[in-house]
Amino acid sequence: MSTLAHTMMTAARSSDSGLVGPGELDRYPYAEAPLPDRVGAPAWDGGEPELGRVGRRATGSRGRGLHGQLVQQLGQMIVSGDLGADRPLVPEEIGQRFEVSRTVVRESLRVLEAKGLVSARPNVGTRVRPVSDWNLLDPDIIEWRAFGPQRDDQRRELSELRWTIEPLAARLAAGHGREEVQQRLADMVEIMSHAMAQGDALTFSRADTEFHALLIQIAGNRMLEHLSGIVSAALQVSGGPVTGCDRPNETSLALHARIVDALGTGDGTAAETAMRQLLTVHPEVERVVPAPREH
């Protein structure tokens, strides 16, 4: 039996028994969340929800039947280290283990190749690529890293990246914001307020995510706009350092509202300042993530 097949079978047995040990596929849990778009459990789910569990964000590879499930499964295995760098991936083995067609395997590997996780070359086959080759800005990889062994590094890096991107976006948006978009931002603040009063954390999170994505999109910088998906992914990754966005309260709402007001008056400095305050990590939280480090 090949090493890959052994790894996959070990992971499946772990899921079937409900026992998860170190070095096995699902050694890190995913947050509970309703999955209305999930198809019927495929054979490799083992009857347990743990194996295919994902975070709150509907990732780009999910919601597409067996193809999406296989991308999710193999992506988790690669990012978690269960399939290490330069490990060969034999399509026939994958198809047999997961009971999917060669077409599903081929398309799934193409998606993973586009993400930089694997490479396919003539006379060499498909192999797992080193971390240095991964597209670390891909929302799926962000999620997989955030719930895997690299969770602490991923959450720290995301927080530092947001601290760099979003205050600048807020400043720029003050000079480019369109009236209808500003109204949409104000609507998001109202929704967040109502959700907080109702104790509806999911609605609050969704409105918060749209608020920050919209803000980046109206900054008038196409390169920043390209990064809006990263911010959205960061907001959907739970368990990291707590900022004003992660802890819904009156202060958080007031800062969101202050940003909207600053955009309305064209005050870029005020918008930037409010965003920095919103992204400040609470000092009582462990693993505090500071502003971008000085070098």
Side-chain angles (χ1 to χ4, degrees), residues 39 47 83 127 181 197 205 211 238 240 244 293:
V39 297
L83 295 177
R127 291 182 176 271
V181 179
S205 174
F211 180 97
S238 61
R293 293 165 291 182

Side-chain angles (χ1 to χ4, degrees), residues 72-265:
Q72 182 86 355
Q73 191 77 357
L74 292 176
Q76 290 177 13
M77 294 177 73
I78 293 171
V79 171
S80 70
D82 288 330
L83 295 177
D86 208 35
R87 176 73 65 83
L89 299 178
V90 182
E92 290 76 10
E93 292 182 8
I94 296 174
Q96 291 175 6
R97 174 63 196 92
F98 291 100
E99 299 183 7
V100 295
S101 69
R102 296 176 62 180
T103 299
V104 170
V105 174
R106 183 171 59 251
E107 292 303 315
S108 298
L109 291 177
R110 284 179 180 174
V111 172
L112 295 175
E113 185 174 17
K115 296 176 184 293
L117 294 179
V118 305
S119 62
R121 291 181 294 175
N123 302 321
V124 175
T126 302
R127 291 182 176 271
V128 176
R129 300 171 70 173
V131 178
S132 58
D133 292 341
W134 297 356
N135 178 8
L136 297 179
L137 300 183
D138 182 280
D140 281 335
I141 295 180
I142 288 175
E143 181 182 276
W144 296 335
R145 288 187 72 208
F147 290 100
Q150 304 170 46
R151 60 177 67 87
D152 290 339
D153 286 341
Q154 177 67 101
R155 289 164 180 164
R156 173 183 56 77
E157 291 166 4
L158 283 172
S159 294
E160 292 178 343
L161 190 59
R162 288 189 65 195
W163 225 93
T164 302
I165 293 172
E166 295 195 71
L168 172 61
R171 172 185 284 275
L172 294 176
H176 294 87
R178 301 186 303 274
E179 182 177 348
E180 66 274 13
V181 179
Q182 292 179 17
Q183 181 57 53
R184 182 62 177 168
L185 290 171
D187 291 342
M188 291 302 101
V189 174
E190 185 175 350
I191 292 172
M192 290 163 64
S193 177
H194 181 72
M196 188 177 73
Q198 298 295 318
D200 186 350
L202 182 58
T203 298
F204 185 98
S205 174
R206 287 172 174 169
D208 188 30
T209 298
E210 180 168 347
F211 180 97
H212 289 268
L214 276 173
L215 189 65
I216 292 176
Q217 291 167 14
I218 65 173
N221 184 305
R222 291 184 181 274
M223 296 187 72
L224 277 179
E225 183 177 348
H226 184 71
L227 299 178
S228 63
I230 300 171
V231 173
S232 296
L235 285 165
Q236 296 299 331
V237 173
S238 61
V242 179
T243 69
C245 293
D246 302 310
R247 179 175 292 175
N249 53 39
E250 294 298 334
T251 300
S252 173
L253 283 173
L255 287 170
H256 281 88
R258 190 178 303 172
I259 292 171
V260 174
D261 291 342
L263 296 183
T265 60

Side-chain angles (χ1 to χ4, degrees), residues 60-79:
S61 62
R62 292 183 59 238
R64 299 179 184 174
L66 291 177
H67 165 259
Q69 295 282 5
L70 185 57
V71 169
Q72 182 86 355
Q73 191 77 357
L74 292 176
Q76 290 177 13
M77 294 177 73
I78 293 171
V79 171

